[in-house]
Amino acid sequence: MNKSVPIQPGPEQNARTFNQFSRTPFVSDAVAKHYDSHCSIDSRFRRAGRILQILWMRENGIPNATLDEHGAHLGSYLRADAAEAGRNFISPEVHLLALRELLLREEDAAIDEDRLLTNTLSSMPLVFNAFGPLALNTKLATSVFRQLLPEFVQSVECLVFEHSPGRRDDRYLADRSAFDVAAHIVTPEGEAGIVYAEVKYSEDMAGPVARWRERYDQALQEVRLYKNPDSAILRSAPLEQLMREHMLAQLSVDRGITPRAMFIGIAPRLNRRATAAFRVYANELLPVPDDDSTRVRFQHFTLETLIDAIDVAGDQQTADQLWKRYCDFQRVYDAALAVIAPKSLSESPSPATAEPAQTGNKDRARKAGSRTRRAQPDDQAAVSDVESSHG
């Protein structure tokens, strides 16, 4: 089998050192209230992620929702005029792309405009912020996807958002299941293919789940993906969305939409519930024979891995923006310490739980893994949150 040659980074700035924690900084009620972000049902990761969004908003002069607007008590929602101006996106170009996708969305697509435009913590704007630059630059997209899936992707032709090959179609799942992103690609063998992606940010994988349909039982047997199609764990809150979307991807191959497909999941490394769900789901899958190209494989990656791939591909500005907004939990640690500790302590070095992103000569050329030591694909392995019923 022909394999793509990994794209090497060209001449660029010296590599920079980024730190990542081994666990999410704990945010107490007092710290959350100090930042006007207290929500009693937030998971540990979502609570820290909410403060990270508030810090990003304050740094960029983005006003949060007023008292008469939705989400004002959480601090992580944009004021209406800021939302309308596109301040939830990393660039005007990505904002315009999101608006175009809203106008040309597929029939019955589940795009929540409020979450997309005003909710900084939602994974919906994250999808556009992370994949929008790739949709606008297929050369960049090709470099990124060839790093993530070198044996499956030779080039990227285009990306589409909130996509389903057959929404409410009985030949598929007869529901509204859809993917956050679908990247139309050419494989190293010259075949057309699609990489279907599900992206998580702060989701705690606690549900709610989709109403169970008879068609799901039929599809579970039909797609031949699972060790035990009757397994109760596939129907549980952490896994059932992954199951539905993986089946949808397999059915897209079986129905001739595309000859090849891959299903991937992406979530922050520190969102333990999401990454655990990916691993558990992967353990439910049958092994795929190397010579069977009709089976849709599942892989999962950390959000840090995706950001690092964008960095290595040459778009350091986008990588820096994404890192600072979504993954730099050093900022949450510093902000929390400044609230609960004397000033002298808040100026002390970070604890041993902060791991160096790289070691050695800082003048080395940038390479994969430079942003965080653990920003690598996890073992091959959920699914909605209170603020997000999908994606």
Side-chain angles (χ1 to χ4, degrees):
M1 180 177 69
N2 295 326
K3 294 185 179 181
S4 59
V5 178
I7 295 177
Q8 299 298 323
E12 50 207 334
Q13 307 98 320
N14 294 334
R16 294 157 295 171
T17 299
F18 293 83
N19 294 326
Q20 182 60 290
F21 287 92
S22 61
R23 66 182 65 90
T24 306
F26 175 76
V27 174
S28 66
D29 288 349
V31 172
K33 290 174 181 177
H34 177 84
Y35 283 96
D36 298 323
S37 66
H38 185 262
C39 180
S40 60
I41 62 173
D42 276 352
S43 65
R44 176 165 171 163
F45 179 85
R46 187 187 293 149
R47 179 173 282 200
R50 195 182 300 281
I51 287 186
L52 185 56
Q53 297 308 304
I54 292 171
L55 295 173
W56 170 79
M57 290 171 64
R58 292 183 180 182
E59 182 177 79
N60 289 278
I62 301 172
N64 61 299
T66 59
L67 291 178
D68 61 339
E69 294 175 335
H70 176 62
H73 65 292
L74 295 175
S76 54
Y77 282 73
L78 273 65
R79 200 170 69 193
D81 57 339
E84 185 177 352
R87 301 297 301 279
N88 207 13
F89 302 96
I90 62 172
S91 72
E93 293 77 16
V94 171
H95 176 220
L96 182 58
L97 173 68
L99 295 180
R100 287 172 172 168
E101 290 293 326
L102 276 175
L103 291 175
L104 293 177
R105 58 190 165 194
E106 296 174 0
E107 295 293 333
D108 208 19
I111 298 180
D112 185 324
E113 293 187 29
D114 179 67
R115 285 201 298 122
L116 177 64
L117 300 176
T118 71
N119 185 353
T120 62
L121 194 62
S122 170
S123 57
M124 189 171 286
L126 166 60
V127 168
F128 280 97
N129 285 328
F131 287 94
L134 278 59
L136 296 170
N137 183 347
T138 55
K139 183 178 179 180
L140 174 66
T142 292
S143 178
V144 169
F145 275 90
R146 286 178 69 180
Q147 290 178 67
L148 298 178
L149 301 167
E151 296 188 359
F152 189 70
V153 177
Q154 178 64 30
S155 64
V156 175
E157 305 300 304
C158 68
L159 280 78
V160 295
F161 297 85
E162 190 58 28
H163 169 70
S164 172
R167 196 177 273 108
R168 295 195 189 278
D169 190 329
D170 290 339
R171 295 174 300 167
Y172 294 91
L173 297 180
D175 66 4
R176 299 176 71 193
S177 295
F179 304 98
D180 290 322
V181 182
H184 291 257
I185 60 99
V186 175
T187 70
E189 295 78 19
E191 285 187 284
I194 301 176
V195 178
Y196 295 113
E198 177 61 30
V199 180
K200 300 298 182 187
Y201 184 60
S202 66
E203 289 86 340
D204 61 9
M205 309 310 181
V209 300
R211 176 180 61 83
W212 193 260
R213 293 165 168 80
E214 182 181 354
R215 176 60 184 137
Y216 297 167
D217 289 315
Q218 297 168 350
L220 278 164
Q221 301 294 330
E222 181 181 343
V223 296
R224 296 179 290 120
L225 291 171
Y226 304 103
K227 297 173 183 175
N228 178 13
D230 297 321
S231 171
I233 198 168
L234 291 172
R235 295 156 169 79
S236 67
L239 303 191
E240 66 88 25
Q241 185 189 5
L242 295 175
M243 176 202 67
R244 287 186 283 112
E245 293 186 15
H246 197 176
M247 291 196 300
L248 191 60
Q250 184 61 63
L251 290 169
S252 76
V253 174
D254 296 344
R255 300 291 185 267
I257 294 294
T258 179
R260 302 281 301 278
M262 175 81 76
F263 177 43
I264 65 173
I266 296 173
R269 179 171 68 84
L270 296 184
N271 187 340
R272 308 285 187 172
R273 298 184 185 184
T275 56
F278 289 158
R279 290 193 296 270
V280 171
Y281 178 73
N283 289 334
E284 295 296 310
L285 299 173
L286 288 167
V288 178
D290 291 337
D291 60 351
D292 189 351
S293 64
T294 66
R295 296 292 89 194
V296 176
R297 299 174 185 270
F298 172 70
Q299 287 185 252
H300 61 93
F301 304 91
T302 65
L303 178 59
E304 290 90 334
T305 300
L306 174 62
I307 294 172
D308 197 65
I310 295 171
D311 190 30
V312 172
D315 191 351
Q316 286 85 44
Q317 181 179 3
T318 294
D320 286 344
Q321 288 177 295
L322 292 172
W323 177 268
K324 195 167 189 178
R325 175 166 175 182
Y326 293 109
C327 296
D328 191 0
F329 284 90
Q330 172 75 46
R331 303 175 71 197
V332 176
Y333 168 84
D334 291 340
L337 194 60
V339 174
I340 66 174
K343 186 175 187 297
S344 59
L345 290 179
S346 68
E347 294 173 350
S348 63
S350 301
T353 52
E355 300 180 355
Q358 63 181 54
T359 59
N361 188 351
K362 291 185 180 180
D363 293 332
R364 290 184 304 187
R366 185 186 310 279
K367 64 180 182 178
S370 64
R371 194 166 294 275
T372 168
R373 181 191 303 171
R374 300 203 180 196
Q376 303 293 335
D378 291 327
D379 294 336
Q380 308 311 33
V383 191
S384 64
D385 69 349
V386 173
E387 297 175 327
S388 167
S389 61
H390 174 83

